[in-house]
Each structure stands twice: as C-alpha cells, then as structure tokens.
Amino acid sequence: MKKLAALLMLATALSAPSMAMARDVSIQTSLVQYSGHAAYLAVYLTNPDGSYNSTLWVSGHKTKYYGDLRGWARAVSRGGSLNLDGITGASVGSGDTLTVHANLADTLLDAGYQIRVDSAVENGGQYADDAVIDLTSTPATASGTGYVNTISLGL
Amino acid sequence: MRRLHSLGGLFGGLLVIFMATTGFVLSLQPLADAATTMAADSGVNVAALADRVAADLPGVERLVRSASGQLVAYTAENGVRSAVIVDPQTGAAAGAYAPSAFFSFITDLHRSFMLGNVGHGAAGVAALIILALAISGTLLLVGKVGGWRKLLAASRGTGSQRLHTDLARIGVAVLLLTSVTGAYMSAVNFALLPENAGAMFAFPPASAGDSVAPIASLEALAAIPLTDLRELTFPAMGDATDVFTVTTQAGQGYVDQGTGAMLSFTPSDAWQRAYEFIYLLHTGQGAPLVALLVGLGALSVPLLAVTGTIIWWMRRRNTPRFSGNVSWRDADTIILVGSEGGSSWGFAATLQDALRLQGQRVHVAAMNELRRSYPNASRLLVLAASYGDGAAPASARQFLARLERFASTPGFAVLGFGDQSFAQFCGFAARVDAALAAKGLSRLLPLGSVDRQSAGHFAAWGKGLGARLGLPLVLNHVAARPATRKLLLVERTLYGMEVQAPVVVLKFAAPQPRGGWFGPRLPHFEVGDLVGIVPPGGAAPRYYSLASASRDGVLEICVRKQTDGLCSEFLHSLVPGEAIDSFIRPNPDFRPKQGRRPLILIGAGAGVAPLAGFVRHNRHRRPVHLFFGGRDPASDFLYRDDLQTALDAGRLTSLNARFSRVMGGGYVQDLVSAEADTVRRLVQQGAQIMVCGGRDMANGVRGAIQDCLAPLGLSVDGLKQKGLYLEDAY
C-alpha cells in the first residue's frame, strides 16, 4: 500500500506559543477499492460551531476539480482567502492510504473541533463530508461514507 | 519504412492487440446505452425536472446526465448514499443505478492496464505505435500500388498479403482517428497539452439567503433545456446561502436558490471544447454510430497483426543466409540483389554457387550496399526485382544515388525479376541497366528478365552469361519448396494426338482414401492454384494450373506434351495407380471476384483447364462466357462434354470456340475480335476477364481486347488495376 506522507506546519494562529503545548497528529485516510481515476481529497479542520477553520491537505493537482470537493469549497469560499502552498499532493488511488501530519495546539484537542474529508473522482462520485472525526487526545477511528473507507487519528 | 513498419508491428503488436480488443469491447457500451436509455422530448427544462426529482428523492445532492442521455440522481439521507435512475421525461425515480462492473473493468484495462500512471503511459505509447503503423503502412501501400491515385486498386499477393492490405484499407482511417485522439487524451492526462486555457478553481458565490424559492420557478434553470444539461448540484440541505451549480455543454454557472438568477457563468474555452470533441470521437459516448465505426476499426487490428506477422515471417524465411561469401575487397565477381519479397536472394544463392563451382570468388550483397569501388572485381551482376509498377524494391532504394559516386569499371549484367502482367515489367531493372551504361561500364549482356520467378528464364540467362564469360554455367534454381506429397493417378484422358499436340487430362487422388479425419487427404487448394510436380530425376518442379479444388476430392491438371520436356513426358507416361511427388503453390491473383458480375474466360489449349474448373464451380449461375481456342474440334476440344453439361445446367452462359487447323479457322484472339460487341457489352456490365494459356496467345488476346475496348475509352491496364483483367500465362 502506497504511503503518502507530508509534514505540515500550520499557521501561527493554530500553534501554541510554546512547542511543548503542541502535539504531532497524524491523520490516516484509507480509500475503499473502486474503479475509476484516482480520488481528489480535501482534509480540513472545522471549529466547534461547524464553521471552517483551516485546510490541512488537498490531494490532486488539477484545480478545476477542486470545486467538486463541495463541502470544503463552500467552506473556503465563505472563509475568504486560501493559500495551499506546500499542502497539496497527488490524487489518491483506489485502496490507497493518505497520511497527513499536522502540528496542532493542545487547546484544539477534545474541544469540539473536527477533521473532515471531502472526496471526488473525475466522472465519478462527489462526497462532501465523506468522513468526519472528532479531534480528540486519544487515537480514534471512524468510517467513511463514500470513497473513504476509514479515517484514523494517531497522536 | 518497411523496417519501421515491421519492427513496430512486432514489438508493439501485443500491446496494440490488447488496446484494440479492449477498445472494441468498450465500443459496445454506447450501443448498449443507446438501447437502454429512456428518451425525453426536447420540451423538458432543467428547473421543472429538478423540482420533480427533489420532491421524489429527499436528500438529492446531484443530478448527472451522461452523454447517452441517461439521468442519474445521487442522494444522501441519514448517512445512506444511493444512486437512482431518473426518467428524463417525468423526473420519476426508475430504479437503482448500478454502473456495469464489466465495462468499468475493461475501461481501466484500456486506459492504464490497471497499472496506474505507468499503465497510462503505456496506453499512450500504444496509441503512438498504432499511429506510426497506420502512417508507415499507408506509405508502403502507396509505394506498392504505384501512387496515391491507385490506392484503391485491387490488391495482389498471397492470401495474407491481400487480407492485410484489404483490412488496412478499410481500417486505416478509423485507426488514424482513434490513435490520434487517444494520443491527444494521453498527452492531456500527462499535462503535455492543456486541458483548458488555465481556468482556475472558482469559489462558488453565495445566494442572497433571504428566501428559498420553489425549484420550478428558478428562471436561470428553466432557461436550460434538459438536453444541454451535464450536471446539476443541489444546494446543501438547510443552507439558504448555498447555490445550484449547473454544468452544461456551454460551461459552468451558479444559480441563486432564492432569486433564480445566474450569479456567474464560466463558458468552456476552446481547449475544453476540443477535448470534449476528441473524447467523443474516441469513445463514441452519446454517438452510437461513431462507436460502431470505431469498434469495427479496432476489430481489424488483431487481424492486421496476425497477417502482418505471417508476411514478416515468410519474408524472413525467404532470405537465405550466405555461406562462403567472399569479402568485397577480394571478390572478382560482385552480385547485388534488389529484393522485395526476398525470393531474389534464392536466385542469387544459386548464381553464387554456380560461379563458385567454376572457381570464381563471389561477393553477394544488397543493392543498397554498393561500395564506392571494388578493387578486384571485373564483373558486377545485378539481380533486381521490380516492385509493383516498376518502383525500386526496399533493398535497392539507395542504389541509384550511390551509383553516382561509384568509381570502379567492372563489366555488368542486369537481370530483372517481375510480373509481366504489370505495365512496367522490370521497369526498375531497366533503369538500373541504363544508369550503369551511362556510368560508362561495359555491358556483358543485354538486360535480361525473369517473369514470375521462372526457373527456366533464369537458367537461360545463366547460359548466356556463361557463354559470355567463357564458363560452363548451369543455373539450376530450385526455389525452397515445401514438403511434397504423394498422389496417385486415378484417371487419364488423352486429346490432340491427331494434330500432333498431345494433351492429357490427369486426375489424382490421395493414396488409400479412407475418408476419416486422420487418413491421408488432399492438401488444400482452389481452382487456379498451381501444383508443383517434381519428375523423377528432375531437380526443379514444373507448375500446372489446377482445374479442380480440394473439395472436389481430386486434383485435376491438363498437361501439353513438350518436346524434350522432362516433366511433361513423365506425366504423359503415367498410368493409373502410379504416383507423383507434388506440392501446392497458391495463386490467389488468379481467381474470379466474388459476386454476380459476368465472367469472360479466354483460354487456348491446356490453358482452358482452370477456366473449366471455374465453370464447374459456378454454383450460383452467374453469367459466364467462355472463349476457347484449339487446333481441331475432332481432336483437341478439351472438356467438350463437361462444358456442354455446364451449358445445359446454366453454369455456363455461352461457349465460343475457334480452331486453327480447320478451313476458315483461326485463333482465339480472332474469336475475341469477332465477338467484340459482346465483350464490350459485358465489360460495361462490370465483367471480369480471365485469360489462361501460352504467353503468345495471352499477348494476342490482350491486343484484341485492347482494340475492342478502345471505343469505350477503356484500356486493359485500367481493367488490370481494378482487378478486372487477370492473366495466367506461361
């Protein structure tokens, strides 16, 4: 199984002032077996009230398909500007797993924040909120509803 | 060009067969879709339909209309996702949507061999190989038939060659289309070509959010006919500020769910439209006729690959390996070979052996390998085949250019190999002969010629060459021949004794015919094919035209006794029960065209044998007119009873005969001239003319037909190009 990994340093707004107050979090998104092109994925963080906080990772290079990641695109369009520098990668094939590493402030854990994954495949399905998992301080796993098989949180 | 075509075909063959086979299967999908998709009339608009769908299917997120017109709604309710087929006329749900796992699987194979990006690359390479093969093959065919204008002339050669050419002529346009479009799509996939003019991801705008109007009332959606729709995405449930996202043939836009206004619309750019058009041409999705055409074209590829491989193998087998070839620096005799099919190499080997036997030091090479000088050579012997209508064969294309810098002055002799039924018989050899003379080399022998690989012509030329060189040269050319089979004579009928032209009709059968599948059986042959017979003590086989096909259960030939003819004397002396060693040489260029058009058969003497066979096999009773020439009706009217039976049964329409040894008689060509009106009428009806007999008779008939066609503005050469004038002369 192909491992896609990237180290993500979030903006200062997210990071605590002291490194001791932050945690490395890994988010593993494994896809089901399906036929068709590789999937575009958006992995992003939402606030306790459900509004958009920030984008952790976008898989897929052709920006014209970003609109198909509907929940994320809508959230971003309300949130204003978007900078994806350094947090995009290749689209993810059937049965493969995407691993995203993030350095998150302790204050975000167990506080109602959620990690969401939207998925879309060219000439295939589009799933907003394909998988949603609460950002907790203990490892957890949740099931997806579309192309995502499971999403798991490692700390 | 030939090498490119051969190598590309061999190495790319498997890849290409795979792509073509999966491509053919995929071409069935648009046809299946067209058969199962529900239709809607043109009055339906997107707003009304979406309204009905939303009411029917709670939680609908997207409505997708495929190229074939099929509508599928995707819903999500309480975390359960489903896909439902929607009746495009009424908007009612019409059952669950389950895409064909089979076609998805084949699509994956076709696009990427299930190997991800590496496979995508291989598929792109396959498209380029097909493109290269289609182009190089077309150029080869143009060279072979002698020009672009003759591209549709009748094909010649063995069964494999003709099948290959005919299939290619049908399939090449489609193959060019699918390979160019496939390569384009592959290039877009790898971002070598842009998919659009750099359009960036646009954030969807927001609805005003004051109210949510009934979908049917949204003006921007009501203005879009359903037939233009590609995809409609509904706003998220309970979010009044979200919008409808609508994709049409023209582009993508966002519609306010309160006011019904089009908030923004991005038209497709030229790159996108080009891609869509190319996608349509390649897949035929939504265009079943295109799919059908592309699918049939794809089907020709495996057959082309197989026939192409057979042709390559035959040519390879026909190129001998030379042993004892002296270096060009030391040789006193240089033999240069210009060959297309490879058979001239066999003649070169025979010539080389004969010269070596006389103590000569011989170097054999392709004509393209002409050196600037041969320090020790006193003779240059050129064996040049002529390709099609007098063009240079593959291994001699560069010869004339190289000759300009040639610095030695050996004596030379040129022997041309060709087919006398072509207008430019040995045309290339004549050019080579003239060029060598113009270069100031001395001619050892006038230009010689060998018609259709005749071992006799070759031996005669060798005799002349030997006399000129003062060497007792014997050129006993035996073409590598297939294993012979024993056949037993079962019946013989003798004609023509009284006119000093004995002709015997012989019928052979397989020994001990037991009828079972495993017993000895006749080899496969058709009327007009040749049987090669090797007489006891003879080296070279003699060929005779067959008057029967293998399904007749006998092999029938007609043999005129030649003075000092080893083989004909042997055959005339045979009595029933005795055996011959024989093999079959197919002669696919001498067969009637399929169809109901009239046939004009013209033959003299033993040449009537295959013609009588054609008459016998005329089961569909097409009009057949036979012109026969003999010496005396009382003595050598071959097949007289047979032909009379055919007349009565309607397999033969008319029988005209003329005899040379009777008062007021004449030759068969006189008969043709006398019946000129009939011949003209038949030719105007698209008749095919087949002539069989001696060379003099064939030339006489050709002249008579030429005169008779002149008032119509037609010529024998013109008919030949269309495959409507066939000669089997000896």
Side-chain angles (χ1 to χ4, degrees):
Chain A
M1 192 181 290
K2 184 169 59 181
K3 291 272 179 188
L4 293 168
L7 183 67
L8 171 72
M9 299 301 290
L10 281 181
T12 46
L14 287 178
S15 308
S18 156
M19 290 306 286
M21 303 281 286
R23 298 278 286 275
D24 277 325
V25 178
S26 75
I27 303 136
Q28 289 203 335
T29 309
S30 68
L31 299 195
V32 295
Q33 297 283 350
Y34 67 93
S35 63
H37 288 276
Y40 276 56
L41 301 177
V43 183
Y44 64 108
L45 184 68
T46 55
N47 296 318
D49 66 358
S51 61
Y52 170 78
N53 182 301
S54 57
T55 301
L56 303 182
W57 188 262
V58 177
S59 294
H61 292 296
K62 292 178 186 165
T63 56
K64 71 164 190 171
Y65 293 124
Y66 285 7
D68 294 346
L69 301 162
R70 280 194 41 82
W72 171 74
R74 208 153 49 83
V76 168
S77 69
R78 281 199 210 104
S81 69
L82 173 70
N83 182 2
L84 295 175
D85 283 354
I87 54 169
T88 60
S91 50
V92 184
S94 160
D96 287 353
T97 296
L98 169 75
T99 304
V100 176
H101 294 282
N103 189 252
L104 299 177
D106 283 345
T107 52
L108 297 177
L109 307 179
D110 301 318
Y113 289 84
Q114 288 182 315
I115 308 256
R116 294 168 185 261
V117 179
D118 284 11
S119 66
V121 167
E122 183 187 349
N123 299 325
Q126 302 174 1
Y127 301 110
D129 288 351
D130 189 332
V132 181
I133 192 167
D134 290 334
L135 189 56
T136 56
S137 56
T138 50
T141 298
S143 295
T145 57
Y147 290 109
V148 177
N149 184 20
T150 59
I151 178 169
S152 40
L153 202 60
L155 293 120
Chain B
M1 188 61 68
R2 175 173 301 285
R3 183 167 296 179
L4 174 73
H5 192 74
S6 297
L7 286 179
L10 286 173
F11 290 115
L14 287 177
L15 193 63
V16 165
I17 289 175
F18 184 86
M19 294 302 285
T21 312
T22 50
F24 168 71
V25 173
L26 289 177
S27 76
L28 301 175
Q29 190 176 18
L31 298 172
D33 286 348
T36 56
T37 297
M38 289 176 283
D41 64 49
S42 53
V44 181
N45 73 61
V46 171
L49 187 90
D51 198 76
R52 176 70 197 276
V53 170
D56 246 31
L57 299 165
V60 62
E61 288 184 327
R62 283 201 302 150
L63 197 55
V64 178
R65 184 173 174 276
S66 70
S68 67
Q70 186 177 55
L71 266 184
V72 177
Y74 294 87
T75 66
E77 210 185 11
N78 306 324
V80 179
R81 297 186 188 272
S82 54
V84 180
I85 295 175
V86 171
D87 181 339
Q89 184 68 38
T90 66
Y97 169 67
S100 161
F102 172 72
F103 280 124
S104 307
F105 175 73
I106 300 291
T107 305
D108 270 8
L109 282 178
H110 185 75
R111 277 207 277 224
S112 65
F113 307 92
M114 299 236 170
L115 290 173
N117 254 349
V118 177
H120 276 299
V125 169
L128 290 179
I129 292 176
I130 296 182
L131 184 60
L133 287 171
I135 292 173
S136 58
T138 306
L139 294 178
L140 275 175
L141 185 58
V142 168
K144 188 171 176 181
V145 298
W148 289 97
R149 284 196 207 142
K150 299 181 189 167
L151 205 53
L152 295 180
S155 52
R156 309 179 72 92
T158 65
S160 286
Q161 283 169 336
R162 281 155 57 120
L163 188 60
H164 194 78
T165 307
D166 290 340
L167 278 171
R169 278 201 281 229
I170 297 166
V172 77
V174 174
L175 292 181
L176 283 170
L177 177 85
T178 49
S179 56
V180 168
T181 52
Y184 184 96
M185 287 161 65
S186 191
V188 168
N189 184 51
F190 284 100
L192 301 174
L193 283 171
E195 188 166 4
N196 56 46
M200 283 298 295
F201 154 55
F203 292 118
S207 291
D210 305 332
S211 60
V212 174
I215 302 175
S217 72
L218 302 175
E219 279 173 28
L221 292 182
I224 301 172
L226 180 63
T227 46
D228 281 359
L229 181 73
R230 294 279 169 82
E231 187 173 330
L232 177 71
T233 308
F234 291 77
M237 291 273 270
D239 183 349
T241 64
D242 201 0
V243 291
F244 282 93
T245 308
V246 61
T247 311
T248 67
Q249 284 178 347
Q252 191 177 52
Y254 301 99
V255 176
D256 188 307
Q257 59 172 317
T259 67
M262 183 68 79
L263 297 173
S264 76
F265 188 82
T266 315
S268 306
D269 61 50
W271 284 106
Q272 281 168 299
R273 285 197 301 272
Y275 185 85
E276 281 172 12
F277 181 63
I278 280 167
Y279 188 85
L280 171 94
L281 287 181
H282 191 85
T283 63
Q285 279 180 20
L289 275 179
V290 174
L292 188 69
L293 200 67
V294 168
L296 289 178
L299 209 52
S300 71
V301 170
L303 288 168
L304 285 172
V306 170
T307 51
T309 306
I310 292 173
I311 293 169
W312 170 82
W313 175 247
M314 302 276 274
R315 186 165 40 238
R316 203 183 133 83
R317 218 182 42 180
N318 287 342
T319 311
R321 310 275 167 271
F322 282 91
S323 56
N325 204 9
V326 173
S327 146
W328 58 273
R329 286 189 189 82
D330 305 329
D332 52 27
T333 306
I334 308 292
I335 301 176
L336 295 181
V337 184
S339 180
E340 189 69 51
S343 54
S344 310
W345 287 99
F347 287 94
T350 305
L351 179 59
Q352 182 204 27
D353 284 345
L355 286 165
R356 275 172 60 203
L357 216 64
Q358 300 299 323
Q360 309 299 304
R361 284 171 303 147
V362 187
H363 173 73
V364 187
M367 286 176 71
N368 281 342
E369 288 164 37
L370 177 74
R371 301 272 159 184
R372 276 190 184 210
S373 67
Y374 295 102
N376 291 302
S378 54
R379 343 172 166 108
L380 177 66
L381 307 176
V382 181
L383 309 188
S386 284
Y387 193 19
D389 278 359
S395 69
R397 295 249 161 82
Q398 299 147 35
F399 178 81
L400 291 172
R402 278 171 165 254
L403 184 63
E404 312 226 316
R405 299 193 307 267
F406 188 61
S408 298
T409 53
F412 76 92
V414 178
L415 180 62
F417 292 79
D419 183 337
Q420 231 162 38
S421 59
F422 277 103
Q424 293 280 314
F425 175 55
C426 292
F428 176 66
R431 275 184 8 238
V432 170
D433 187 68
L436 287 166
K439 192 80 191 159
L441 276 63
S442 64
R443 205 184 250 120
L444 297 172
L445 281 182
L447 172 65
S449 67
V450 172
D451 182 28
R452 278 174 299 174
Q453 308 183 16
S454 156
H457 294 176
F458 186 59
W461 179 80
K463 217 180 242 178
L465 181 68
R468 182 71 177 77
L469 301 180
L471 301 168
L473 271 193
V474 180
L475 299 185
N476 231 336
H477 181 66
V478 185
R481 61 171 191 260
T484 57
R485 291 216 206 186
K486 270 208 185 320
L487 295 178
L488 298 181
L489 182 65
V490 291
E491 192 185 317
R492 74 190 288 272
T493 315
L494 187 61
Y495 296 87
M497 286 301 282
E498 300 80 356
V499 288
Q500 299 79 47
V503 177
V504 67
V505 175
L506 301 171
K507 291 183 183 175
F508 296 91
Q512 311 148 356
R514 274 177 275 165
W517 283 99
F518 302 103
R521 306 173 71 207
L522 285 172
H524 177 78
F525 54 86
E526 295 288 335
V527 175
D529 282 349
L530 304 172
V531 59
I533 295 174
V534 191
R542 284 274 164 187
Y543 292 96
Y544 299 93
S545 294
L546 291 167
S548 63
S550 43
R551 56 185 173 278
D552 297 330
V554 290
L555 181 147
E556 179 174 333
I557 55 172
C558 200
V559 182
R560 163 86 186 272
K561 190 169 183 177
Q562 309 286 337
T563 38
D564 295 333
L566 183 63
C567 196
S568 68
E569 279 177 8
F570 161 67
L571 290 171
H572 271 256
S573 70
L574 273 184
V575 296
E578 288 185 319
I580 56 165
D581 285 322
S582 69
F583 61 93
I584 299 297
R585 196 168 83 180
N587 187 19
D589 287 334
F590 194 70
R591 270 175 209 165
K593 278 193 171 185
Q594 301 282 328
R596 311 198 72 95
R597 297 272 170 84
L599 271 183
I600 302 175
L601 306 176
I602 305 170
V608 77
L611 308 182
F614 294 138
V615 170
R616 241 181 248 163
H617 283 259
N618 180 26
R619 278 179 295 130
H620 299 295
R621 294 183 168 67
R622 73 198 282 181
V624 177
H625 303 265
L626 179 69
F627 296 88
F628 174 72
R631 296 193 176 191
D632 186 334
S635 177
D636 69 345
F637 197 162
L638 299 165
Y639 293 103
R640 176 190 232 157
D641 298 343
D642 219 53
L643 295 173
Q644 187 58 52
T645 311
L647 273 173
D648 297 342
R651 290 195 308 276
L652 182 60
T653 315
S654 77
L655 171 60
N656 281 288
R658 187 152 297 192
F659 298 89
S660 56
R661 298 272 179 95
V662 298
M663 293 290 287
Y667 294 110
V668 69
Q669 48 265 48
D670 305 326
L671 185 57
V672 170
S673 301
E675 295 289 331
D677 284 340
T678 311
V679 172
R680 270 195 290 272
R681 179 172 54 78
L682 292 171
V683 168
Q684 279 177 316
Q685 292 168 12
Q688 187 184 28
I689 302 175
M690 301 180 74
V691 182
C692 187
R695 174 53 59 190
D696 290 343
M697 166 265 174
N699 290 343
V701 168
R702 193 195 307 200
I705 297 275
Q706 183 74 39
D707 292 345
C708 135
L709 292 182
L712 299 179
L714 294 171
S715 69
V716 169
D717 283 342
L719 290 186
K720 271 189 184 180
Q721 274 171 24
K722 295 185 201 148
L724 292 178
Y725 191 97
L726 307 180
E727 277 181 350
D728 186 18
Y730 41 82

